[in-house]
Amino acid sequence: MQKQQEQCQIFAVLIFTFIFLLAAVSTTEAGKKEKIEKKMKKSDCGEWQWSVCVPTSGDCGLGTREGTRSGIECKQTMKTQRCKIPCNWKKQFGAECKYQFQAWGECDLNTALKTRTGNLKRALHNADCQKTVTISKPCGKLIKPKPQERKREREQGRDRETETK
């Protein structure tokens, strides 16, 4: 009789263990299905599209940008993000584009300008930047002889005139 009770207890423990394992497996499967469904909902959302950084004051420093995305099931379709525009970057090529410039070229006497080319080094937040840019500036004053050199030239010219007379 005692042996039969022990066998019944062992059998009951095995049944409870089996039921517990089934419950655990079904819960895990349900959790996986929920995760897959959540991933599918997230994929309905489009990629974030960000506007340019707008400085809080002035034309550089701290500011904000707005992001938008499309999607029927998206919980969030618009958000604001803090950003920073470096103050030492050339603003004429876009405040979010950094270029590596070559040395200034020779002065073009027809236009009185010298130019140089810059290659894109870095773009902030997927900004739309040109691969290469060209910048021009006035050549500045042409190199003239120093006043002392002029004086010497005049004196040498006078000396030559007196020698020929």
Side-chain angles (χ1 to χ4, degrees), residues 48-53 64-68 78-81:
W48 285 103
Q49 301 294 319
W50 295 98
S51 67
V52 295
C53 186
T64 56
R65 72 174 61 251
E66 289 188 359
T68 57
M78 194 169 167
K79 66 180 175 180
T80 303
Q81 184 182 61

Side-chain angles (χ1 to χ4, degrees), residues 53-63 85 87 91 95:
C53 186
V54 178
T56 306
S57 63
D59 61 353
C60 63
L62 295 175
I85 297 175
C87 291
K91 306 299 181 288

Side-chain angles (χ1 to χ4, degrees), residues 53-127:
C53 186
V54 178
T56 306
S57 63
D59 61 353
C60 63
L62 295 175
T64 56
R65 72 174 61 251
E66 289 188 359
T68 57
R69 68 177 174 177
S70 61
I72 300 168
E73 297 291 325
C74 291
K75 289 182 181 178
Q76 188 176 19
T77 57
M78 194 169 167
K79 66 180 175 180
T80 303
Q81 184 182 61
R82 293 188 335 186
C83 58
K84 183 179 180 181
I85 297 175
C87 291
N88 62 342
W89 289 19
K90 300 268 186 221
K91 306 299 181 288
Q92 77 185 80
F93 305 117
E96 298 178 332
C97 307
K98 176 77 171 180
Y99 293 92
Q100 179 72 44
F101 285 93
Q102 301 170 348
W104 286 103
E106 294 294 319
C107 182
D108 182 358
L109 297 177
N110 295 331
T111 60
L113 295 173
K114 55 184 174 179
T115 60
R116 68 178 177 170
T117 304
N119 295 320
L120 182 64
K121 185 177 178 182
R122 184 173 166 210
L124 294 178
H125 301 287
N126 300 326

